[in-house]
Structure formats: C-alpha cells, structure tokens
Amino acid sequence: MALYNLSTHPGNLSIIITAKAIPPLVNLLKSCKKSSKPAEKCSALLESLMGFDEGRTALTSEEGGVLTVVEVLENGSLQSREHAVGALLTMCESDRHRYREPILSEGVIPGLLELTVQGTPKSQSKAHKLLQLLRESPYRRSEFQPDTIENIVCKIISQIDGEDQSGKARKMLAEMVQVSMEQSLRHLQQRALVCTPSDLPLTNCTSEVSSK
C-alpha cells in the first residue's frame, strides 16, 4: 500500500491529508476483512492522520467513517485494534466535546471493554484513557475516590441511548469483571506455588527458635 509507505515519513502526512485520502481509506476498510494486513495498514495510516484537524473532520464527515473504525476496533487483528483505538483516542483528546458523541453513538463501549482485558498493553492503556474521556465528566475524582473501569463504564452506560447498546455494554462489563477476577485468582495461586521458606518473615523464625 503506497500511501502507508509514504506515511512512514512524518513529513508526508500533510501531503496525504491534502490529497483527501480519508474517503478512499474508509472505503477500503469497509470492503476488506478487518483482520487482514491491508486493514492493519489502513488503520495505522488513519491513526496517523487523526493528528490533523482536517483528517478528523474528514473521518466524521464520511458516511460510516467512525463506525468503520469502531468495527476494526472490535474485529481487527491485535495491531489493527491498537491503531483503531489510537485513532479514536487522538480524536477525543484533540476535542472531547466535539468527538465524544460521534464516537459513543457508534457503540464503541463493548469493544473498548474487551480491549482493556484482551488487547495489547498499548491497546489496554489507550482503551482505558478513551473510556475516561467518554464519560460525562473527564476529570478525575479525588485520590480517596479512585475511578475503576467498572465505575467509568457504568457512568457511560447510563448515558447511552438504546437498549441494545446499553444491554451489550452491561454484558461486556460483567464478563470483563469475571475475567479480571479469574486473572487475580490465578495470580494469587501462582504466588502461593512459588512461595518458599525464604519468603517468610525472619521474625517468625527467630521467635520459633527462642521459644525452644
């Protein structure tokens, strides 16, 4: 894909934007398999182009543009999903008030929830940041009331119109919590297995010797 190769040189991105590349990129993403190599390159290029106001405007103006990125986020390869969430995050970070609703309205929450558990480390971090931006208030609570993924998502779900989207998001949240609990349990079990006498506090050993 020639445009992708050109985009690896940052100076060429403005030229690609001027060439109005967003519509053909969206059309290519619509037509190709979301987990394919072409989809990876398209989503990577879109993520780069979201750094430009013209690129963000073109994507939201293109019919099905944001939805197509959300579909890649849900069904793409690990790398494609990472680029897709990165593109949406860049949009929301650039102007949260402008892009929050267009992103939310395309049903992005279930895919983001899945990424927070099953994505690459970068995807997980980006998905978490985007979830924070998508809630009604983007500001953190005090350190005495830290936000969890569950709290953030519950707040977003309460603002989603439509039973289908809300129900799907709630189901994904429940599954995410279950997976998180299972991972925590496995971690505790692994720690218990590798625990050796040397891991025990020295004071216990000393008290036992003195008692004898």
Side-chain angles (χ1 to χ4, degrees):
M1 185 176 172
L3 279 180
Y4 172 77
N5 294 334
L6 284 172
S7 71
T8 57
H9 300 281
N12 291 332
L13 289 174
S14 58
I15 299 174
I16 296 173
I17 281 289
T18 305
K20 302 186 184 303
I22 298 293
L25 283 174
V26 170
N27 288 332
L28 181 56
L29 270 179
K30 286 179 180 178
S31 61
C32 71
K33 188 176 181 180
K34 301 300 184 289
S35 58
S36 65
K37 281 294 181 182
E40 281 188 19
K41 293 183 177 181
C42 278
S43 55
L45 182 50
L46 276 177
E47 181 181 13
S48 298
L49 295 178
M50 290 306 100
F52 296 82
D53 183 60
E54 298 93 329
R56 298 187 292 271
T57 300
L59 182 66
T60 51
S61 300
E62 184 69 16
E63 184 177 356
V66 176
L67 175 60
T68 301
V69 177
V70 171
E71 289 175 346
V72 174
L73 185 150
E74 293 176 335
N75 304 311
S77 66
L78 286 175
Q79 288 303 314
S80 292
R81 299 178 78 188
E82 184 178 306
H83 292 309
V85 70
L88 297 177
L89 177 60
T90 299
M91 292 173 66
C92 216
E93 285 180 330
S94 70
D95 191 337
R96 176 184 172 275
H97 296 288
R98 180 179 179 183
Y99 296 114
R100 177 177 175 271
E101 285 303 323
I103 293 173
L104 270 179
S105 65
E106 299 299 354
V108 72
I109 299 302
L112 287 178
L113 285 175
E114 187 175 338
L115 275 185
T116 62
V117 177
Q118 299 179 355
T120 65
K122 285 185 178 180
S123 294
Q124 291 179 10
S125 175
K126 291 177 180 179
H128 196 163
K129 289 178 182 177
L130 184 53
L131 282 168
Q132 288 180 320
L133 287 171
L134 290 176
R135 63 178 180 164
E136 188 172 12
S137 172
Y139 304 107
R140 285 183 173 273
R141 298 182 185 181
S142 71
E143 58 181 315
F144 300 104
Q145 292 181 303
D147 273 319
T148 63
I149 284 285
E150 292 88 346
N151 289 337
I152 293 170
V153 175
C154 284
K155 188 71 177 291
I156 297 173
I157 290 173
S158 68
Q159 302 158 18
I160 295 177
D161 294 326
E163 293 184 4
D164 289 343
Q165 285 192 30
S166 180
K168 187 176 181 181
R170 290 179 190 278
K171 181 180 178 181
M172 287 294 301
L173 177 59
E175 292 174 354
M176 183 196 73
V177 172
Q178 179 66 30
V179 170
S180 179
M181 291 175 63
E182 291 173 355
Q183 289 176 340
S184 297
L185 180 59
R186 282 197 297 270
H187 180 65
L188 289 173
Q189 290 172 337
Q190 289 171 354
R191 288 188 61 185
L193 288 174
V194 300
C195 182
T196 64
S198 61
D199 296 319
L200 298 174
L202 185 59
T203 53
N204 289 347
C205 298
T206 305
S207 61
E208 288 179 7
V209 172
S210 60
S211 64
K212 293 180 181 179

